[in-house]
Amino acid sequence: MKKQLEKLLAEAYAAPEPKKKQAFLMNLKPREVSLPEMLWQQAAYVRWPVWLFAICMMAFAIGGSILHLEDTERIVTVLMPFTAAISVLETNRSTRFGMSEIEMATRFSLRSVLFARMTILGILYAVMLCVSAPMLAYAFGGKLLLTATRILIPYLSTMILSLIAERSALGRKTGYSSAAIAALISLVTFWISQEQSQKFMVLRYTTLLENWGILIVLVLLLLTILEQQKTIRQVEAFA
């Protein structure tokens, strides 16, 4: 009797044959996301102080150029290492706050997220440079390439050293080694640019940039890309 009842219940509540099963399963698959769309989505996760600092830097460069404020270019150059440090700290935020394991379980891999954030911040600072350098060069009668190289060298140097430091055991433990590197390079840049007390140094540095500035920037840019690739390849190993 019990077996007959179980059979009747099974027949009464039997699941119907699935219709259009394959079409339904296909709809469950997430649609492909293009690179621009991914960058747009990840841009929302870049914290507002990062955007604000870049906007303030660009606004200061534009305002100082329009008002012909003395030392505008020198101040922008001295502050550029901190933009690199902020960029490295922002891209390593997942590891620093212990969120790497969660992000690895999301739709995008941790490497993809890191690449996207590096790309977003790279575009942000490239726009800042493309706006600031011509304004500064035009306002203060300098050469555009010389102004651009003078701004880029501290930025790229800080980026390279910060990426190396953040991958080291000490850098992963402290989390803010890139800020110390930025402060050191900023102080060196400030000392070199002291025209009143370091006229000879300023002249030698300017001559070096005029002759080799583009090559130095290209080498530093290549090293930056290589260090970024190393960071992206190893990021999940550090999670």
Side-chain angles (χ1 to χ4, degrees), residues 59-116:
F60 175 77
I62 295 172
S65 300
I66 295 174
L67 299 175
H68 290 275
L69 298 178
E70 190 177 359
D71 294 335
T72 300
E73 181 184 338
R74 183 158 66 97
I75 293 173
V76 170
T77 304
V78 169
L79 291 178
M80 282 304 292
F82 292 101
T83 64
I86 290 173
S87 178
V88 173
L89 289 173
E90 183 66 19
T91 53
N92 288 342
R93 184 155 48 101
S94 300
T95 303
R96 193 165 64 255
F97 290 107
M99 298 297 291
S100 300
E101 188 173 349
I102 294 177
E103 290 205 5
M104 283 193 295
T106 60
R107 180 177 184 180
F108 302 113
S109 68
L110 189 56
R111 292 182 179 183
S112 300
V113 170
L114 183 60
F115 169 77

Side-chain angles (χ1 to χ4, degrees), residues 1-223:
M1 182 69 181
K2 183 178 179 181
K3 291 183 178 180
Q4 291 180 348
L5 183 60
E6 289 178 351
K7 183 178 179 181
L8 291 173
L9 289 173
E11 292 176 354
Y13 292 99
E17 287 293 327
K19 296 181 179 180
K20 300 181 179 179
K21 178 181 177 181
Q22 293 300 324
F24 174 76
L25 293 176
M26 290 295 294
N27 289 332
L28 291 179
K29 293 183 179 180
R31 65 180 181 84
E32 294 183 0
V33 178
S34 63
L35 179 59
E37 187 176 359
M38 179 188 177
L39 294 178
W40 179 258
Q41 292 177 3
Q42 290 299 317
Y45 293 97
V46 177
R47 291 176 295 180
W48 67 266
V50 178
W51 299 102
L52 181 62
F53 186 78
I55 292 171
C56 289
M57 283 277 291
M58 188 163 56
F60 175 77
I62 295 172
S65 300
I66 295 174
L67 299 175
H68 290 275
L69 298 178
E70 190 177 359
D71 294 335
T72 300
E73 181 184 338
R74 183 158 66 97
I75 293 173
V76 170
T77 304
V78 169
L79 291 178
M80 282 304 292
F82 292 101
T83 64
I86 290 173
S87 178
V88 173
L89 289 173
E90 183 66 19
T91 53
N92 288 342
R93 184 155 48 101
S94 300
T95 303
R96 193 165 64 255
F97 290 107
M99 298 297 291
S100 300
E101 188 173 349
I102 294 177
E103 290 205 5
M104 283 193 295
T106 60
R107 180 177 184 180
F108 302 113
S109 68
L110 189 56
R111 292 182 179 183
S112 300
V113 170
L114 183 60
F115 169 77
R117 291 177 182 170
M118 284 183 174
T119 303
I120 292 165
L121 295 175
I123 293 172
L124 174 63
Y125 294 128
V127 170
M128 186 180 73
L129 176 69
C130 290
V131 173
S132 301
M135 292 286 294
L136 292 169
Y138 178 77
F140 298 101
K143 297 178 181 178
L144 176 58
L145 289 178
L146 181 62
T147 302
T149 54
R150 190 181 285 118
I151 293 173
L152 273 173
I153 287 175
Y155 171 80
L156 293 175
S157 300
T158 305
M159 180 69 74
I160 294 167
L161 295 177
S162 296
L163 288 170
I164 295 173
E166 291 292 337
R167 291 199 311 271
S168 67
L170 179 62
R172 296 197 303 274
K173 185 177 179 179
T174 59
Y176 292 96
S177 56
S178 54
I181 292 171
L184 179 61
I185 293 180
S186 181
L187 287 174
V188 172
T189 304
F190 179 78
W191 179 75
I192 291 175
S193 62
Q194 286 292 317
E195 189 172 355
Q196 289 79 9
S197 58
Q198 303 290 339
K199 288 185 178 180
F200 179 73
M201 180 65 71
V202 171
L203 180 61
R204 291 291 299 269
Y205 184 64
T206 302
T207 303
L208 176 67
L209 293 185
E210 287 177 344
N211 295 331
W212 302 98
I214 296 177
L215 180 60
I216 293 173
V217 168
L218 290 176
V219 171
L220 291 176
L221 184 60
L222 177 61
L223 291 175

